[in-house]
Amino acid sequence: MAEAPLRPPHAVDSLLSLLDQTAAVVEGDVVDVRSEYSPRTGPWTVVTLGNVRAHLGSAPGELRLRQAGGLLPDGRQRVVSHVPRFVRGARYVVFLRNTGWSLSPVLDGQAFRVESVGGREVLVGAEGGLVSGLGSAGVRQTAPVFDAVDLMGTRPALRAGMDVAGLPEALEREAFVSLLQNHLRARGLRVTGTFREEPVATASALSVPVTPASGQVPAKGLTPPQPERDVPPGAP
């Protein structure tokens, strides 16, 4: 029996629209990060999560997150905006899509790294802010206190001049998960749908020509289009 087609994604502009497009919220360790390349579809980065625990929805014990961008045959990297970067060996809390996708199965970049700060396990967003709660617009985060993850996937440090004692208030990891679960329960909501590891766009829709290191081209197969660029290894 053929699988039902996935509904198309829509803008994540509220907590409700975030939860509406969530198939599962999972926690897992990044046990592998590797690049794949195809002349038809370009480079991809495959992130493997192990020791997976589903906080909302369901998930197997190991997941592959296949994301657009990665190493090109000539050693450069193709970087796609709004696709989260993962640190090998770190633990993450990730929102997985229940919609079709072409660049990443992670919903709206909602992948939060677990960090121990002052003896507390807190969650860090893509820009280095700490998760501080839930609001009508979605997951609330503080101003950045950690550096962003670089292209090599190095574990970021606290920003220069940051003092652990002076960091803004943030939720501990378990407290955030409990808050999310209680929010859904109190409103009679639940996450639904199925997470798919593979993109739904055709290979031709994902094909992007290689450009000079200084150039930018729109990523095809996404509305609105997001920029991507090719950069040499180790470049910022």
Side-chain angles (χ1 to χ4, degrees):
M1 182 176 178
E3 292 182 329
L6 291 175
R7 60 189 177 125
H10 56 86
V12 177
D13 53 12
S14 67
L15 181 59
L16 184 61
S17 62
L18 173 70
L19 297 174
D20 178 59
Q21 297 181 83
T22 299
V25 177
V26 303
E27 183 177 333
D29 300 316
V30 178
V31 297
D32 187 45
V33 180
R34 60 185 174 85
S35 289
E36 293 181 350
Y37 179 80
S38 162
R40 292 190 307 136
T41 63
W44 292 84
T45 297
V46 181
V47 179
T48 302
L49 292 182
N51 303 312
V52 173
R53 172 187 177 191
H55 294 297
L56 296 172
S58 60
E62 184 173 283
L63 284 172
R64 288 190 324 142
L65 306 179
R66 182 179 171 86
Q67 303 192 120
L71 286 174
L72 294 159
D74 62 7
R76 291 179 297 165
Q77 290 197 49
R78 175 154 292 166
V79 180
V80 181
S81 297
H82 306 297
V83 170
R85 298 174 192 162
F86 287 83
V87 175
R88 187 191 300 267
R91 192 160 180 85
Y92 280 80
V93 172
V94 182
F95 286 65
L96 300 176
R97 284 189 172 279
N98 63 14
T99 69
W101 60 273
S102 59
L103 296 182
S104 174
V106 178
L107 176 55
D108 196 44
Q110 305 287 300
F112 303 105
R113 189 176 72 255
V114 178
E115 287 284 356
S116 179
V117 177
R120 303 169 63 234
E121 283 195 331
V122 297
L123 298 176
V124 182
E127 302 302 320
L130 306 180
V131 171
S132 58
L134 296 175
S136 59
V139 177
R140 289 202 303 260
Q141 299 180 55
T142 70
V145 299
F146 279 85
D147 292 328
V149 179
D150 63 21
L151 294 180
M152 305 306 293
T154 305
R155 191 161 200 147
L158 283 171
R159 288 192 165 190
M162 285 288 178
D163 180 7
V164 171
L167 291 181
E169 187 62 29
L171 287 176
E172 294 194 51
R173 174 178 57 87
E174 290 292 348
F176 171 73
V177 170
S178 294
L179 180 64
L180 191 59
Q181 293 168 335
N182 291 339
H183 177 88
L184 288 166
R185 190 179 303 115
R187 288 157 181 78
L189 302 174
R190 62 190 182 94
V191 299
T192 60
T194 303
F195 159 70
R196 306 287 176 88
E197 287 188 346
E198 298 297 327
V200 298
T202 62
S204 59
L206 292 171
S207 297
V208 180
V210 175
T211 58
S214 60
Q216 289 190 347
V217 296
K220 300 180 182 178
L222 179 72
T223 303
Q226 304 293 342
E228 59 180 34
R229 57 193 175 95
D230 303 317
V231 296

